[in-house]
Amino acid sequence: MRIAIIGTGYVGLVTGTCLSDFGLQVICVDKDMGKIKQLESGKIPIYEQGLEDLVKKNVEAGRLSFTTNLGEAVRQSEVIFIAVGTPSNDDGSADLSQVEDAAQEIAQNIDDYKVIVNKCTVPVGTARKIKQFINECKENSSPFDIVSNPEFLREGTAVYDFTHPDKIVIGYESEKSKKIMQEIYRPLYLLNAPFVFTTLETAEMIKYACNAFLATKITFINEIANLCDRVGADVHEIAKAMGMDGRISPKFLHPGPGFGGSCFPKDVRALDSLAESHEYDFKLTKAVLDVNHRQRKITVEKIENMLEDISGKTIAVLGLAFKQNTDDIRESPALEIIKILLEKGSIVKCFDPMAMENTKKIFPELIYCSNEYETAEGSDAMVILTEWNQFRNLNLSRIKKLLKNPILIDMRNLYEPEKVKKAGFQYTGIGRSIS
């Protein structure tokens, strides 16, 4: 079976590479010639654990190839996955222009039966709109089917998530397209991966419901943590106890500076916009977005409380990516916090294992350092904003000597407050009741 993947971002590249590793013939398409040449050489434009080796392996095996010629890829393939971006419009709705562009080119090149699979996160009803759009644009009577197959990949563990899914959601209309999708995912079926076969609309809504719920869970524990700071309770013990309840589970009960990345913020906004377009006031989505935005301000307030006046002060920031194990800075809490610090007159030194080159494009004025200790040297305080593993075991005595003031603001709660205080630091985390 030959498969075309339109889009070589996180979702498209991981999907195409993993499917080629299943033994399928996959051709990935992108308009960016520079990106395609980079991929053809075996290098990838993003950081994702294990992906570069997998790309090289399957390119060398002849199962994975790359092109800018979308029309040729469509004509050569039986199944076409659309895996392009759906960023937010100014009103919070999903921008479907890239999906529509892909659908138009597919329509112009259909020459036989095709299964067109939407892998993007899109508003409910998009699959049927794509179907109508292609019918209106295609120049022959070649049949096709539309499938909704949303992704559930976490940046940093995307390859593992694809090959060890907790579910595979497939929205379909015809039995023929269902059987083809089953054949594509047969290696996972043999591993007893659970499949959810449903309607197009339900599949689209499942993706939004999952991401909005996870974002809500993060927001809830942040609210609990903020209250813990006021009442003297420990959010870690609370989250641990909550996680013991099988109805809740411990996942995503980790307080911090708020959620970010390419999915949660835009998907919550899109769900809220979808509700509004159907004249429903989804109060919870609005609250989640408001609280998440406020969490950045609360972080800055913690820094100000420790330093009093932060104007002219040098702040050492550890972590720029929105989470560990990625170089993705899209809607990163760290960058939003840095923006506020700069507006208040602070000088920011920073270090991140993977995300500094991306950050330089947005904040060239920051002082970029080669490691944690260079970042601390001469700074008035240190702030941890991303939970990279290497930040969990800093040499605190060395950090203390390098800082002007032994102040640590730990917004990922990587350290035990009492231990850091005994090391001679002024310390504050989030929801740990010690500052």
Side-chain angles (χ1 to χ4, degrees):
M1 187 182 299
R2 296 185 66 87
I3 293 174
I5 309 284
I6 302 175
T8 59
Y10 279 94
V11 175
L13 188 55
V14 171
T15 299
T17 303
C18 290
L19 289 179
S20 69
D21 206 50
F22 289 172
L24 301 169
Q25 288 293 129
V26 178
I27 183 166
C28 293
V29 186
D30 203 286
K31 295 185 293 185
D32 188 334
M33 176 61 78
K35 185 186 286 188
I36 292 300
K37 286 183 177 179
Q38 187 178 1
L39 287 165
E40 286 177 332
S41 70
K43 298 180 180 179
I44 64 173
I46 56 175
Y47 175 72
E48 185 62 45
Q49 287 185 335
L51 184 58
E52 186 167 346
D53 289 342
L54 211 56
V55 168
K56 288 180 180 178
K57 170 188 171 184
N58 287 284
V59 167
E60 290 172 359
R63 292 188 296 267
L64 179 63
S65 60
F66 304 95
T67 185
T68 57
N69 192 330
L70 191 151
E72 183 180 351
V74 169
R75 291 189 295 272
Q76 291 180 354
S77 303
E78 301 165 58
V79 181
I80 301 114
F81 282 78
I82 301 175
V84 296
T86 55
S88 294
N89 287 311
D90 291 340
D91 63 357
S93 62
D95 179 354
L96 300 179
S97 59
Q98 294 181 58
V99 176
E100 292 168 356
D101 289 346
Q104 183 171 7
E105 289 204 54
I106 291 170
Q108 293 169 349
N109 289 280
I110 286 181
D111 58 356
D112 199 356
Y113 173 76
K114 310 286 183 184
V115 177
I116 301 164
V117 183
N118 183 39
K119 200 73 177 166
C120 315
T121 303
V122 292
V124 177
T126 300
R128 294 201 186 278
K129 289 180 182 177
I130 293 174
K131 181 179 180 179
Q132 180 181 351
F133 187 73
I134 292 175
N135 273 321
E136 292 172 353
C137 293
K138 70 188 180 78
E139 300 172 355
N140 56 50
S141 58
S142 297
F144 68 95
D145 275 311
I146 293 289
V147 168
S148 178
N149 175 218
E151 54 84 18
F152 297 93
L153 308 177
R154 298 168 296 170
E155 289 186 34
T157 58
V159 172
Y160 179 86
D161 290 345
F162 192 95
T163 55
H164 299 78
D166 55 17
K167 60 187 172 297
I168 299 169
V169 176
I170 296 174
Y172 72 101
E173 289 184 298
S174 77
E175 285 299 316
K176 184 176 182 179
S177 65
K178 177 184 178 182
K179 289 178 180 177
I180 288 172
M181 295 303 294
Q182 285 177 308
E183 182 61 24
I184 289 172
Y185 286 116
R186 188 168 62 89
L188 301 180
Y189 180 80
L190 295 174
L191 294 174
N192 295 317
F195 282 71
V196 178
F197 292 102
T198 185
T199 65
L200 297 172
E201 290 81 4
T202 301
E204 290 168 334
M205 183 60 94
I206 286 171
K207 171 63 175 181
Y208 277 127
C210 287
N211 277 4
F213 182 80
L214 294 175
T216 301
K217 199 170 179 182
I218 293 169
T219 301
F220 178 82
I221 201 62
N222 278 339
E223 289 280 69
I224 292 294
N226 294 335
L227 188 55
C228 284
D229 280 334
R230 287 160 174 75
V231 302
D234 189 330
V235 71
H236 271 203
E237 295 299 319
I238 293 166
K240 181 179 178 180
M242 288 176 64
M244 293 174 179
D245 190 323
R247 298 167 299 176
I248 297 174
S249 97
K251 294 182 179 179
F252 288 84
L253 287 179
H254 305 288
F259 59 78
S262 63
C263 294
F264 286 3
K266 79 175 181 67
D267 291 352
V268 177
R269 288 193 294 264
L271 183 59
D272 186 60
S273 177
L274 176 67
E276 288 185 357
S277 70
H278 287 79
E279 299 181 346
Y280 181 73
D281 183 12
F282 204 142
K283 294 184 183 296
L284 185 58
T285 54
K286 292 179 175 62
V288 167
L289 292 169
D290 288 344
V291 171
N292 197 55
H293 178 69
R294 186 180 66 181
Q295 202 68 10
R296 277 67 158 162
K297 295 180 179 179
I298 288 174
T299 300
V300 174
E301 289 171 4
K302 284 178 175 287
I303 299 170
E304 289 178 314
N305 289 338
M306 299 294 277
L307 284 172
E308 296 182 1
D309 182 12
I310 64 172
S311 179
K313 299 289 178 65
T314 300
I315 312 298
V317 171
L318 297 186
L320 300 168
F322 84 94
K323 59 180 283 190
Q324 65 174 335
N325 298 328
T326 181
D327 62 353
D328 196 343
I329 58 172
R330 286 175 288 182
E331 301 211 37
S332 170
L335 267 58
E336 294 182 44
I337 291 162
I338 286 171
K339 182 181 178 182
I340 299 172
L341 292 174
L342 294 175
E343 289 171 350
K344 289 177 173 284
S346 297
I347 301 162
V348 176
K349 297 177 70 177
C350 63
F351 171 71
D352 186 286
M354 295 303 306
M356 291 201 290
E357 289 303 314
N358 288 338
T359 307
K360 286 176 183 177
K361 299 171 186 176
I362 301 173
F363 292 115
E365 67 269 40
L366 304 186
I367 300 170
Y368 293 90
C369 301
S370 59
N371 56 52
E372 302 91 333
Y373 302 100
E374 183 185 339
T375 311
E377 188 172 7
S379 297
D380 292 284
M382 175 170 275
V383 186
I384 300 175
L385 295 178
T386 309
E387 68 279 25
W388 287 94
N389 283 337
Q390 67 193 71
F391 297 163
R392 298 175 186 271
N393 288 291
L394 297 173
N395 184 329
L396 293 179
S397 61
R398 184 179 174 189
I399 293 288
K400 182 183 175 185
K401 291 176 183 177
L402 291 169
L403 288 170
K404 286 183 183 177
N405 306 299
I407 295 174
L408 179 61
I409 298 102
D410 179 9
M411 291 306 297
R412 294 292 182 173
N413 285 352
L414 303 186
Y415 291 88
E416 287 300 320
E418 290 291 354
K419 178 182 177 181
V420 180
K421 283 191 69 179
K422 287 179 181 177
F425 281 82
Q426 291 175 261
Y427 174 90
T428 187
I430 174 169
R432 303 306 300 276
S433 75
I434 295 178
S435 62

